[in-house]
Amino acid sequence: MEAAVPHSLAELTVTSPEQMRDLGRRLAKLLRAGDLVLLSGELGAGKTTLTRGLGEGLGVRGAVTSPTFVIARVHPSLGDGPPLVHVDAYRLAGGLDEMEDLDLDVSLPESVVVVEWGEGKVEELAEDRLHVLIHRAVGDTTDEVRHVTVRGLGARWAGAELGSLSA
């Protein structure tokens, strides 16, 4: 019988792109080198906007934009914090085998690694990880409301105060 994986959970409602960036800035305060963050959600849900806020909160160099065509971007820290490695796995059909070409396992110990569309592809990189699911209304809508679930998995996140993200 497999042991239950410890986790923590926060559920939030975000009503604008600026609030999504703010959420990223608050989340950055909880992150440290070695953390893996998986972002899931529909196209246009706000994954890159959240990552932009993470970059601001971590104090990294360079504009955080979607790495869809380059697959991964490294944003070095402007201070003494960890660099941000921003990966877009949308175009990668394979799992960890295809991701291995990016050497994420090498960068993970000293970086915060954020992977958009990483579900089912990078979980093997770390037992402890943060999974952020952003849900938005789909179809012909201008609705900016997003429902965000932040789930911390593994011992690293077992006692984390994810409720502080609601601030």
Side-chain angles (χ1 to χ4, degrees):
M1 189 168 148
E2 196 173 308
V5 176
H7 70 276
S8 55
L9 180 74
E11 294 180 328
L12 307 106
T13 299
V14 174
T15 59
S16 70
E18 186 52 44
Q19 282 188 5
M20 188 65 77
R21 279 176 81 156
D22 286 344
L23 174 58
R25 286 189 285 267
R26 288 193 306 275
L27 183 57
K29 294 176 184 173
L30 302 176
L31 297 175
R32 63 182 186 219
D35 284 341
L36 174 64
V37 181
L38 275 67
L39 301 180
S40 300
E42 298 88 358
L43 283 169
K47 297 178 294 296
T48 300
T49 301
L50 178 75
T51 306
R52 202 168 285 130
L54 281 172
E56 292 168 7
L58 290 170
V60 299
R61 187 178 75 216
V64 175
T65 58
S66 179
T68 300
F69 297 103
V70 295
I71 310 299
R73 280 197 175 91
V74 177
H75 298 275
S77 176
L78 292 170
D80 58 0
L84 171 65
V85 177
H86 184 199
V87 180
D88 186 332
Y90 184 73
R91 297 186 182 285
L92 302 179
L96 195 57
D97 291 342
E98 194 169 355
M99 296 296 285
E100 278 181 4
D101 292 340
L102 300 177
D103 286 333
L104 293 181
D105 54 338
V106 173
S107 358
L108 185 57
E110 69 270 357
S111 306
V112 169
V113 176
V114 176
V115 183
E116 296 187 31
W117 304 99
E119 195 170 16
K121 297 176 182 174
V122 298
E123 287 89 340
E124 295 171 36
L125 282 174
E127 198 171 293
D128 299 328
R129 60 191 177 273
L130 203 58
H131 190 161
V132 181
L133 174 61
I134 305 170
H135 178 75
R136 71 173 185 92
V138 293
D140 187 17
T141 180
T142 57
D143 188 0
E144 294 287 342
V145 174
R146 305 293 191 259
H147 298 285
V148 182
T149 303
V150 181
R151 182 182 311 272
L153 299 169
R156 155 80 172 97
W157 297 103
E161 287 297 324
L162 294 180
S164 68
L165 296 173
S166 300

